[in-house]
Amino acid sequence: MKKTIILVGAVLILAACGAKQSKGETPPPPPPPPSKDVSAKDLIFGDPALAEGKQLYDNNCAKCHKWYEPKQFSKEEWKPILVRMQKKAKLDDIKMASITNFIDSQL
């Protein structure tokens, strides 16, 4: 009987030690830092103002004609295009600034 109690006690001690080891496992390493090549999608959805500018661009510009990639034109080429399109789309200066910021962020 005494041997049984000692045996049960030893099993309980070993089980308790095993449980502590599983709790003491090292946590997984943190994810690697983002690369310097951040995609346009990350820029847009990481910044609410840029996401708003993209939405305005999609809903006000690309609904009338094909969607132009911002990189199709230089910043200097975009300026007169945006001025001309602001009048046609009847956009106020605040909305136009948001669209301009979105396009500039993609260049």
Side-chain angles (χ1 to χ4, degrees):
M1 179 76 169
K2 205 175 191 182
K3 288 183 182 182
T4 306
I5 294 174
I6 292 173
L7 182 62
V8 169
V11 168
L12 289 175
I13 290 173
L14 289 173
C17 291
K20 286 182 183 177
Q21 287 177 353
S22 65
K23 287 182 182 177
E25 290 178 5
T26 59
S35 68
K36 292 184 180 182
D37 298 329
V38 179
S39 71
K41 189 174 183 181
D42 294 336
L43 283 174
I44 293 168
F45 296 112
D47 185 346
L50 293 179
E52 180 184 354
K54 182 187 183 314
Q55 181 181 10
L56 287 167
Y57 180 70
D58 290 343
N59 293 333
N60 294 286
C61 304
K63 73 178 182 182
C64 295
H65 51 76
K66 78 174 198 166
W67 198 91
Y68 290 98
E69 284 291 329
K71 291 183 180 181
Q72 271 185 279
F73 303 104
S74 70
K75 192 172 185 175
E76 293 76 29
E77 291 171 319
W78 271 112
K79 286 178 186 180
I81 294 170
L82 294 173
V83 169
R84 188 174 63 248
M85 292 296 117
Q86 179 180 5
K87 293 175 187 173
K88 286 187 176 190
K90 298 178 184 161
L91 295 171
D92 62 27
D93 290 339
I94 294 171
K95 289 180 180 176
M96 204 61 219
S98 186
I99 292 171
T100 302
N101 287 340
F102 160 68
I103 290 174
D104 289 348
S105 75
Q106 304 303 300
L107 300 177

